[in-house]
Amino acid sequence: MTRKILLSGYYGFNNAGDEAVLAALVQLLRRNLSDIEIVALSAAPNETAERLNIRGIDRWNGAVLKKELDRAALFCSGGGSLLQDVTSVRSVYFYTSQIMQARRHNVPAIVLAQGLGPLKTAPGRWLVKKALKQCRFLSWRDADSCALAGKLGLGSVPNYQVCDPVLLWEQSDVADGPRAEIYSNRVVMALRPWPGLACDEIVRLVRHLSAAGREVIFLPFYCKADGSGEDEKLAAELNERLGSDAVEVRHPHTPEEAMQEIACAGFLLGMRLHSLIMAAARGVPSAAISYDPKVTAFAQAEGIPLLDGGVKFQAEAAAEAVAANIGKRSSGRKEAWQTAWQPVLAEIEKILR
């Protein structure tokens, strides 16, 4: 009998990182579990279904979700950073309400490879604790999230630490190893808007790298068909400041395209978490511009140079990180990443039985 798994996350919003998470989770579940049907809650359900050969349903349609829960074997909340209230508590309410709705339908619920927090508000912490206590188990993509779960009083629920699924995402059509057309002198920058981002220093860095003979490319992760994605707007603003020194902007409209661009680079300078994760997965040297605890946590766990993401960002420090590491590819820690997932996959199979 086919077992239906519902996947909830920030899917269908043209963000290469979140779309990569969904693609990686689908691949991971299909490779390790038999007789399953995967259904993803998405803001663009038709596009999601077509791209991944799964079923997609409208994440905003409560009646459709209720109908799907009636025949579901498992509800998965994850991955990504869903349970945070930095901008608003509405995100926490949205995702925790789905978990509690699943439990009202007697559908087992789990948290799958998420990053937890920041949780700055009392309502946010209360909602997370209330919903997650109803889960069969929780799995987190970093040690800080595990620690925060403990502080919230979730120790009575089994907790696991796994890697982000994108670290295990495999694609036969992405350049890798001896087949790769690697541009060892290319520096890819995956930036995002953020209050206090030192755009003048970014401009100085680009000019410094170009003068040193490096090829610099902007790789916006949040793209839209009309070019109005927030990362695209930042790239356009930086190129306007650069004037005659403007650099090429690549627009990855799928996570596969983003992975391809990073896999062939000599170095990645990343603010977007999943640009750094993709680089680590492909052994591409990188440096992280820290603007969020999730970026800091990943950089520290993987030994990636960490640069200030605010007004203290310095072009010289970033240029030094590039010069010291460009072209020095590594094999990564794939075996350890895979091992960490085995207990979680075993628990999922146990629930599905």
Side-chain angles (χ1 to χ4, degrees):
M1 183 178 71
T2 302
R3 293 88 56 89
K4 180 168 67 176
I5 299 175
L6 295 180
L7 286 178
S8 170
Y10 191 72
Y11 308 138
F13 289 97
N14 301 300
N15 185 299
D18 291 291
E19 298 307 319
V21 167
L22 177 57
L25 283 176
V26 168
Q27 183 183 84
L28 192 64
L29 294 173
R30 280 177 169 165
R31 286 186 172 183
N32 291 277
L33 303 169
S34 60
D35 301 319
I36 61 171
E37 176 192 16
I38 298 176
V39 180
L41 283 69
S42 171
N46 293 334
E47 290 86 343
T48 296
E50 183 178 357
R51 186 169 66 84
L52 296 174
N53 191 28
I54 60 175
R55 280 205 301 120
I57 63 172
D58 185 354
R59 67 184 254 132
W60 309 115
N61 193 323
V64 172
L65 175 58
K66 182 178 179 180
K67 181 180 178 180
E68 293 292 341
L69 283 169
D70 285 339
R71 299 183 294 109
L74 180 65
F75 181 86
C76 301
S77 179
S81 300
L82 308 181
L83 303 175
Q84 55 81 25
D85 59 8
V86 173
T87 53
S88 170
V89 77
R90 286 179 295 180
S91 175
V92 175
Y93 176 78
F94 180 81
Y95 292 110
T96 56
S97 65
Q98 289 182 340
I99 293 171
M100 289 187 279
Q101 186 174 357
R103 295 303 301 125
R104 287 195 295 271
H105 282 73
N106 294 316
V107 177
I110 64 173
V111 166
L112 198 56
Q114 276 196 41
L116 180 61
L119 291 167
K120 302 291 188 182
T121 68
R125 292 190 293 272
W126 183 84
L127 284 168
V128 168
K129 184 175 181 178
K130 179 178 173 63
L132 269 53
K133 275 187 171 291
Q134 302 180 43
C135 291
R136 291 285 289 271
F137 72 82
L138 313 172
S139 59
W140 309 108
R141 68 184 179 197
D142 59 73
D144 288 351
S145 295
C146 286
L148 180 54
K151 291 177 182 177
L152 291 173
L154 295 168
S156 60
V157 184
N159 279 257
Y160 298 90
Q161 184 178 339
V162 296
C163 71
D164 189 286
V166 177
L167 285 167
L168 298 176
W169 188 32
E170 296 180 0
Q171 305 148 275
S172 59
D173 59 338
V174 170
D176 191 18
R179 303 190 311 278
E181 187 176 6
I182 296 170
Y183 300 90
S184 59
N185 203 39
R186 177 179 292 173
V187 178
V188 170
M189 295 188 181
L191 309 174
R192 61 152 298 158
W194 194 254
L197 178 65
C199 288
D200 288 342
E201 288 296 296
I202 298 289
V203 167
R204 284 211 311 125
L205 173 61
V206 172
R207 287 189 169 130
H208 176 92
L209 294 173
S210 297
R214 310 292 188 195
E215 179 190 10
V216 179
I217 289 175
F218 290 147
L219 186 68
F221 258 50
Y222 185 40
C223 296
K224 291 187 176 180
D226 61 358
S228 65
E230 62 180 16
D231 295 12
E232 292 172 304
K233 290 180 179 178
L234 175 61
E237 177 190 337
L238 291 169
N239 266 341
E240 185 175 351
R241 295 190 188 202
L242 284 161
S244 61
D245 297 321
V247 302
E248 184 179 358
V249 181
R250 301 280 176 89
H251 300 265
H253 296 293
T254 67
E256 290 83 2
E257 290 178 8
M259 179 74 94
Q260 180 74 55
E261 294 291 347
I262 291 171
C264 294
F267 191 88
L268 171 84
L269 184 65
M271 285 183 74
R272 287 291 185 185
L273 173 62
H274 281 91
S275 70
L276 295 159
I277 289 173
M278 288 180 181
R282 293 291 164 174
V284 177
S286 65
I289 300 178
S290 177
Y291 76 97
D292 187 284
K294 65 186 180 184
V295 173
T296 303
F298 181 75
Q300 291 175 338
E302 297 300 321
I304 296 170
L306 196 58
L307 304 169
D308 190 280
V311 294
K312 295 181 181 179
F313 177 84
Q314 294 183 338
E316 289 80 7
E320 289 175 7
V322 173
N325 297 287
I326 191 167
K328 297 180 180 178
R329 301 173 81 89
S330 66
S331 57
R333 300 189 299 112
K334 192 168 185 177
E335 185 175 343
W337 297 332
Q338 290 174 330
T339 299
W341 269 91
Q342 294 313 307
V344 168
L345 293 165
E347 286 296 321
I348 292 175
E349 180 58 45
K350 189 184 298 183
I351 293 170
L352 294 178
R353 290 201 195 109

